[in-house]
Amino acid sequence: GTIPEIDREALHHLISVKLAATGFEVPETSMRDEGVMKLASDLFRQYAEQSRLLTGHLAPVDQRIQDFIDMALEGTGEKVTLPEHHDAAGERILNVDRYGIARELSLPDDTSIDEYHNEQISSYRLRNGILHNPLNDRRTTKGVFHVADWGLPIPADKIAVPLVTYARLLKAAFNPPPDLKVLPYTSTWADPVDTMVSLLVRPLVMPEVPGVMPEKRLEVRYFVPGGCVANIDFV
């Protein structure tokens, strides 16, 4: 297929609305359509309250993933819980659900700034697109690709690690340091947004055979700290 064209101005409108709807403060200087934001403010508050009331309840796809993690880690003594989109501590997750949003989020809202840096990644806006340069960017996984010793046999060129290692790495990944959660898009704001960012993809793995079987899709949920939102621009 073809890569869809990106309307950057429309994406900036959408980002402002999504941030406000998720419960984050959007400065007036970053509102592309202040009238719409004011008209929708009551809806945003209602949405935030509904999200608060659903604290402790996962979306069906997340519940299926959580059930799998619970089953896989049974017996390890470790409990890993998926981040909630609005938890009891007031943490919120920004959902990325449209092509191009992660790319816009990976650089500051200020159009005069064409680069962003943190301790893990550097992003640059170039004439022909965006360049994301991770701190540890390897062109091969030989000798460093570790696979949890569970389920299918592990290829000889990979390194097997105990399942508990996977559990503890996953738990640490879901609890990044606060400075790594700062969303690049908001880094120049007086009060930058620090959050996790989520992306759900459901690629087709088996097409429908009419009258015989329905299509089958794989459900993949990405969670990244806000400062690493560039990672899901690759998806």
Side-chain angles (χ1 to χ4, degrees):
T2 58
I3 298 176
E5 293 186 8
I6 295 178
D7 183 340
R8 291 189 58 207
E9 187 63 25
L11 284 180
H12 282 251
H13 279 285
L14 181 58
I15 288 170
S16 294
V17 170
K18 289 182 72 66
L19 286 170
T22 307
F24 297 112
E25 291 293 330
V26 180
E28 292 186 4
T29 54
S30 295
M31 293 181 184
R32 264 45 183 200
D33 194 334
E34 189 175 347
V36 171
M37 299 292 282
K38 287 182 177 179
L39 286 172
S41 60
D42 288 340
L43 291 176
F44 294 158
R45 284 193 289 270
Q46 182 179 6
Y47 176 79
E49 179 62 15
Q50 289 175 342
S51 297
R52 187 189 65 79
L53 293 174
L54 288 172
T55 297
H57 297 272
L58 295 174
V61 59
D62 291 334
Q63 188 61 61
R64 289 190 289 271
I65 295 172
Q66 183 65 61
D67 290 344
F68 171 80
I69 292 175
D70 291 344
M71 180 269 294
L73 299 183
E74 187 177 9
T76 65
E78 296 289 336
K79 172 67 175 178
V80 180
T81 304
L82 290 180
E84 294 182 35
H85 291 269
H86 192 293
D87 67 17
E91 295 290 332
R92 290 154 291 186
I93 295 177
L94 181 65
N95 278 307
V96 174
D97 54 8
R98 187 168 301 188
Y99 178 77
I101 291 183
R103 183 166 303 173
E104 292 303 318
L105 289 174
S106 66
L107 287 167
D109 177 31
D110 187 338
T111 55
S112 68
I113 302 175
D114 290 328
E115 57 186 73
Y116 176 80
H117 309 272
N118 62 27
E119 61 185 36
Q120 294 295 332
I121 194 166
S122 295
S123 297
Y124 307 86
R125 188 181 304 281
L126 309 176
R127 292 181 63 184
N128 60 339
I130 303 290
L131 170 65
H132 301 305
N133 189 20
L135 177 64
N136 297 305
D137 187 13
R138 297 176 62 95
R139 294 293 181 260
T140 176
T141 58
K142 184 177 181 180
V144 297
F145 204 111
H146 295 67
V147 181
D149 192 7
W150 185 85
L152 298 174
I154 297 173
D157 63 336
K158 304 298 186 290
I159 301 174
V161 297
L163 188 59
V164 68
T165 303
Y166 161 76
R168 292 173 182 172
L169 284 172
L170 186 60
K171 187 181 294 184
F174 287 159
N175 294 278
D179 57 339
L180 196 57
K181 293 171 66 177
V182 174
L183 200 61
Y185 185 84
T186 69
S187 59
T188 59
W189 294 2
D191 186 16
V193 169
D194 61 273
T195 182
M196 295 286 283
V197 180
S198 172
L199 168 67
L200 173 67
V201 293
R202 302 182 68 247
L204 181 68
V205 295
M206 182 181 294
E208 176 187 9
V209 179
V212 178
M213 65 176 64
E215 69 175 28
K216 294 184 179 180
R217 292 181 177 272
L218 178 67
E219 294 176 323
V220 183
R221 172 75 79 179
Y222 293 86
F223 290 103
V224 298
C228 296
V229 66
N231 287 351
I232 54 177
D233 184 27
F234 290 110
V235 178

Short mmCIF file of all heavy atoms in Angstrom, two decimals, residues 2 8 14 47 99 111 114 126 142 167 185 208 214 223-224:
data_model
loop_
_atom_site.label_atom_id
_atom_site.label_comp_id
_atom_site.label_asym_id
_atom_site.label_seq_id
_atom_site.Cartn_x
_atom_site.Cartn_y
_atom_site.Cartn_z
N THR A 2 0.21 2.38 -0.11
CA THR A 2 0.91 3.66 -0.14
C THR A 2 0.92 4.28 1.25
O THR A 2 0.05 4.03 2.08
CB THR A 2 0.23 4.63 -1.12
OG1 THR A 2 -1.13 4.82 -0.72
CG2 THR A 2 0.25 4.06 -2.54
N ARG A 8 0.06 18.03 8.80
CA ARG A 8 0.66 18.34 10.10
C ARG A 8 -0.21 19.28 10.92
O ARG A 8 -0.33 19.13 12.13
CB ARG A 8 2.05 18.93 9.91
CG ARG A 8 3.09 17.93 9.40
CD ARG A 8 4.47 18.53 9.45
NE ARG A 8 4.82 18.95 10.79
CZ ARG A 8 5.68 19.93 11.07
NH1 ARG A 8 6.25 20.62 10.09
NH2 ARG A 8 5.95 20.26 12.33
N LEU A 14 -5.43 17.77 16.44
CA LEU A 14 -5.84 16.52 17.08
C LEU A 14 -5.04 16.26 18.36
O LEU A 14 -5.61 15.82 19.37
CB LEU A 14 -5.63 15.35 16.10
CG LEU A 14 -6.03 13.96 16.60
CD1 LEU A 14 -7.50 13.93 17.01
CD2 LEU A 14 -5.76 12.92 15.52
N TYR A 47 -15.47 13.14 30.20
CA TYR A 47 -14.66 11.99 29.78
C TYR A 47 -13.65 11.63 30.87
O TYR A 47 -13.45 10.45 31.19
CB TYR A 47 -13.93 12.32 28.48
CG TYR A 47 -12.99 11.24 28.01
CD1 TYR A 47 -13.48 10.11 27.36
CD2 TYR A 47 -11.62 11.35 28.22
CE1 TYR A 47 -12.61 9.11 26.92
CE2 TYR A 47 -10.76 10.35 27.79
CZ TYR A 47 -11.25 9.24 27.14
OH TYR A 47 -10.39 8.26 26.72
N TYR A 99 -2.01 7.50 12.22
CA TYR A 99 -0.69 7.57 11.59
C TYR A 99 -0.15 9.00 11.62
O TYR A 99 -0.86 9.95 11.28
CB TYR A 99 -0.78 7.08 10.14
CG TYR A 99 0.53 7.16 9.39
CD1 TYR A 99 1.52 6.22 9.60
CD2 TYR A 99 0.77 8.19 8.48
CE1 TYR A 99 2.73 6.29 8.93
CE2 TYR A 99 1.98 8.27 7.80
CZ TYR A 99 2.95 7.31 8.03
OH TYR A 99 4.15 7.39 7.36
N THR A 111 7.53 25.28 16.38
CA THR A 111 7.97 24.95 15.02
C THR A 111 9.34 25.52 14.68
O THR A 111 9.92 25.17 13.65
CB THR A 111 6.94 25.48 13.99
OG1 THR A 111 6.74 26.88 14.20
CG2 THR A 111 5.62 24.74 14.14
N ASP A 114 13.83 22.24 15.63
CA ASP A 114 13.80 21.06 14.76
C ASP A 114 14.55 19.87 15.34
O ASP A 114 14.92 18.95 14.60
CB ASP A 114 14.39 21.41 13.38
CG ASP A 114 13.48 22.32 12.60
OD1 ASP A 114 12.25 22.21 12.76
OD2 ASP A 114 13.99 23.15 11.83
N LEU A 126 14.32 16.83 9.34
CA LEU A 126 15.12 17.08 8.17
C LEU A 126 14.24 17.51 7.01
O LEU A 126 13.01 17.44 7.08
CB LEU A 126 15.91 15.81 7.79
CG LEU A 126 16.72 15.16 8.93
CD1 LEU A 126 17.36 13.87 8.44
CD2 LEU A 126 17.76 16.13 9.47
N LYS A 142 23.04 -9.97 17.01
CA LYS A 142 23.88 -11.14 17.27
C LYS A 142 24.59 -10.98 18.62
O LYS A 142 25.26 -9.98 18.87
CB LYS A 142 24.91 -11.30 16.16
CG LYS A 142 25.78 -12.56 16.31
CD LYS A 142 26.74 -12.71 15.16
CE LYS A 142 27.57 -13.97 15.31
NZ LYS A 142 28.54 -14.14 14.19
N ALA A 167 10.10 -11.05 33.47
CA ALA A 167 9.11 -10.43 34.33
C ALA A 167 9.65 -9.15 34.96
O ALA A 167 8.98 -8.11 35.00
CB ALA A 167 8.66 -11.41 35.41
N TYR A 185 6.93 16.77 22.55
CA TYR A 185 6.04 17.78 21.97
C TYR A 185 5.77 18.91 22.96
O TYR A 185 5.59 20.07 22.57
CB TYR A 185 4.73 17.10 21.57
CG TYR A 185 3.74 17.98 20.84
CD1 TYR A 185 3.84 18.17 19.46
CD2 TYR A 185 2.69 18.60 21.51
CE1 TYR A 185 2.92 18.97 18.79
CE2 TYR A 185 1.77 19.39 20.85
CZ TYR A 185 1.90 19.58 19.48
OH TYR A 185 0.98 20.37 18.82
N GLU A 208 -9.83 -14.09 6.05
CA GLU A 208 -11.09 -14.82 6.14
C GLU A 208 -11.25 -15.77 4.95
O GLU A 208 -10.91 -15.43 3.81
CB GLU A 208 -12.26 -13.85 6.17
CG GLU A 208 -13.63 -14.53 6.18
CD GLU A 208 -14.77 -13.54 6.04
OE1 GLU A 208 -14.49 -12.35 5.76
OE2 GLU A 208 -15.94 -13.96 6.20
N PRO A 214 -13.29 -17.40 10.06
CA PRO A 214 -13.17 -15.94 10.09
C PRO A 214 -11.70 -15.53 10.03
O PRO A 214 -10.80 -16.37 10.21
CB PRO A 214 -13.78 -15.56 11.43
CG PRO A 214 -13.49 -16.75 12.30
CD PRO A 214 -13.59 -17.95 11.40
N PHE A 223 3.65 0.06 24.86
CA PHE A 223 3.71 1.09 25.88
C PHE A 223 5.13 1.65 25.88
O PHE A 223 6.10 0.90 25.94
CB PHE A 223 3.43 0.51 27.28
CG PHE A 223 2.01 0.08 27.50
CD1 PHE A 223 1.67 -1.26 27.47
CD2 PHE A 223 1.02 1.01 27.77
CE1 PHE A 223 0.37 -1.67 27.69
CE2 PHE A 223 -0.30 0.61 27.99
CZ PHE A 223 -0.62 -0.73 27.95
N VAL A 224 5.26 2.97 25.79
CA VAL A 224 6.58 3.59 25.85
C VAL A 224 6.50 4.83 26.73
O VAL A 224 5.45 5.47 26.83
CB VAL A 224 7.09 4.01 24.44
CG1 VAL A 224 7.26 2.82 23.54
CG2 VAL A 224 6.18 5.05 23.80
#
